[in-house]
Amino acid sequence: VQLVESGGASVQAGGSLKVSCAAPGWVLSAYCMGWFRQAPGKSREGVAGIRFQSTRLYYADSVKGRFTISQVNSKNTVYLQMDSLKPEDTAVYYCAAGARTMYSALDRRRYIYWGQGTQVTVS
C-alpha cells in the first residue's frame, strides 16, 4: 500500500488546516487508518485513528476536540481536519494503514504501511 500525504503548510496559531492521505489503487476501508506526528527531537506519537470502515474514532488527549479524522472510501482518502492549531502542533504528520488490532489505534505497532509525511508548522 502506497500512502501519499498532502496539505501540510505553515499557519498561524488559532488557524485551521486539513491534511489528506491518499492510497491510489487500494481499498483503505479494509484497514485501520491512523495519523501520527513527529516533532524535532521527539518520538512519533499517535494523534488520531479510525477503525475499519469508520466504525470507531480515536484521538490523543492533546488534540481531542480540535482535530477530526475522517475517511471517504469512494476516494480511498483519509483526512485530518485540524482546528484551533497551537505552536505545539508543529510536526511532520504521517498517515498509516494497518490491521494489527491487538494494539491500540494510537500505537504505531498497529500499522504496517506509512506515508512519507507532510510538514505542519504553526507559529
Side-chain angles (χ1 to χ4, degrees):
V1 177
Q2 181 183 10
L3 302 174
V4 182
E5 299 100 332
S6 61
S10 295
V11 297
Q12 291 188 339
S16 297
L17 192 65
K18 188 173 186 178
V19 292
S20 304
C21 173
W26 294 91
V27 180
L28 288 186
S29 60
Y31 296 91
C32 298
M33 300 298 299
W35 282 99
F36 288 73
R37 66 185 181 187
Q38 188 166 16
K42 295 187 177 181
S43 59
R44 193 170 298 188
E45 64 170 346
V47 174
I50 190 167
R51 197 170 166 82
F52 299 109
Q53 300 186 26
S54 309
T55 55
R56 289 195 66 180
L57 308 180
Y58 306 84
Y59 297 98
D61 288 342
S62 59
V63 306
K64 200 171 294 182
R66 300 189 299 120
F67 289 13
T68 304
I69 187 172
S70 61
Q71 182 169 332
V72 179
N73 293 330
S74 60
K75 295 184 178 181
N76 277 331
T77 302
V78 176
Y79 302 96
L80 185 67
Q81 174 69 44
M82 301 180 286
D83 299 317
S84 301
L85 283 161
K86 305 175 182 180
E88 50 264 43
D89 295 319
T90 295
V92 177
Y93 283 72
Y94 299 88
C95 72
R100 298 172 178 163
T101 54
M102 71 284 286
Y103 301 108
S104 74
L106 301 183
D107 188 329
R108 59 185 300 177
R109 293 174 294 179
R110 169 175 281 205
Y111 303 96
I112 301 173
Y113 306 104
W114 293 83
Q116 82 288 351
T118 187
Q119 177 70 46
V120 173
T121 303
V122 185
S123 60

